[in-house]
Amino acid sequence: MKKSASRFSPVTSVLYPLLFGVLLIALWQGQVLHKLLNTTTLILPLPTRILSVIADNLPAIAKDTWATVSVILPGLVIGSVIGYLLAVFATNSPRFGATGLNIIAAISSIPTVALAAVILQWTRDVSSDVDVRSYVMKLVIVTVVSTASMTLNAYRGLTELKPFALDLMKSYAANKMTVLFYLRAPNSLPFIFISLKVSVPACVIAALVSEYFAERITGVGRRIRECILQAQYSTAWAYIVTACIIAIVLFAILMASEKLIMRKRNS
């Protein structure tokens, strides 16, 4: 039974979503969705129209895509590292860590829109260069989002140990650093990937939302806003599709990395 389930897992995890996507695009192209949603091809352009806009504006879209990705990746990495270090601190100092975790949990519940508006005001004095100010603002928002997710999940991985494992380490008079490197850190690895699965799409959304508020008109999120304000809906949808592609590619890279790393860990 296990072999059978393993054999069909690629079908359920890849083929079914792919078929659903093909069906959705077919209904979209056939204007069935337009009838169901009671809208027009002006508001909801056909997929062929969106693809033609992407092809015609590829250099500009590529430039804006890089502007967005160059915020997402550093913010994700910096936030994840900070979050993990905070989780380690909370694990080794339960007295202060419990309070810190409650604060981080509260921060994670703040809507990105509200967070972006506040951080925009905080970063106005960072530099006289509008490009620097805008980048720092977006980077801070993405970092905060990824930090909160990593802290809470990594803490679970660092503390949810097998009962006998910690007792065994104590019986060998292992210090905190030894326990951390040889027991807690390896145990937290699956939880790190759980956190990243949450952080990757959240960071993409955070980057797009932060670009709405940024002073510099650049990035996929800002282009979506500008195109909608100018009633250029086909171009706006081209950037929306681009945002989806960014999220899918980053998530696919994460899933492949998890499979590779966990396979080596378990071998």
Side-chain angles (χ1 to χ4, degrees), residues 22-83:
V22 171
L23 176 61
L24 182 63
I25 293 174
L27 294 175
W28 187 351
Q29 183 65 34
Q31 299 188 32
V32 176
L33 286 182
H34 297 78
K35 295 178 181 179
L36 294 175
L37 299 174
N38 192 25
T39 187
T40 65
T41 54
L42 175 64
I43 305 298
L44 184 60
L46 297 177
T48 50
R49 171 59 180 162
I50 295 172
L51 291 177
S52 67
V53 172
I54 293 175
D56 294 339
N57 299 275
L58 194 57
I61 292 176
K63 182 179 179 181
D64 288 310
T65 299
W66 171 246
T68 300
V69 172
S70 65
V71 172
I72 295 172
L73 293 181
L76 179 62
V77 172
I78 295 171
S80 297
V81 171
I82 293 174

Side-chain angles (χ1 to χ4, degrees), residues 64-247:
D64 288 310
T65 299
W66 171 246
T68 300
V69 172
S70 65
V71 172
I72 295 172
L73 293 181
L76 179 62
V77 172
I78 295 171
S80 297
V81 171
I82 293 174
Y84 195 86
L85 293 177
L86 290 174
V88 171
F89 174 77
T91 301
N92 291 326
S93 305
R95 186 180 203 178
F96 301 101
T99 303
L101 289 174
N102 291 332
I103 295 173
I104 291 171
I107 293 174
S108 66
S109 65
I110 299 175
T112 307
V113 175
L115 192 64
V118 172
I119 293 178
L120 174 62
Q121 301 302 321
W122 287 353
T123 56
R124 284 193 183 275
D125 298 328
V126 169
S127 173
S128 58
D129 189 340
V130 65
D131 290 332
V132 174
R133 290 200 307 268
S134 295
Y135 184 81
V136 170
M137 186 270 274
K138 293 184 286 186
L139 183 63
V140 169
I141 293 171
V142 176
T143 300
V144 169
V145 170
S146 59
T147 297
S149 174
M150 179 59 72
T151 302
L152 299 175
N153 283 284
Y155 179 77
R156 286 184 56 201
L158 292 168
T159 55
E160 293 183 4
L161 306 173
K162 294 180 180 179
F164 67 86
L166 190 57
D167 292 337
L168 182 62
M169 295 295 286
K170 290 180 178 178
S171 69
Y172 286 114
N175 57 34
K176 288 185 177 181
M177 295 302 294
T178 302
V179 173
L180 173 63
F181 283 110
Y182 291 97
L183 179 60
R184 296 190 188 275
N187 189 73
S188 69
L189 188 58
F191 292 86
I192 292 175
F193 283 106
I194 291 174
S195 170
L196 291 175
K197 289 176 185 177
V198 176
S199 295
V200 167
C203 286
V204 173
I205 295 172
L208 296 177
V209 172
S210 66
E211 288 171 345
Y212 271 59
F213 294 88
E215 298 175 78
R216 182 66 173 171
I217 303 177
T218 185
V220 174
R222 188 55 178 264
R223 294 300 181 188
I224 293 173
R225 174 192 173 187
E226 297 298 318
C227 290
I228 291 176
L229 290 176
Q230 298 171 14
Q232 298 176 354
Y233 297 113
S234 296
T235 308
W237 273 98
Y239 277 102
I240 291 172
V241 170
T242 302
C244 295
I245 292 173
I246 292 173

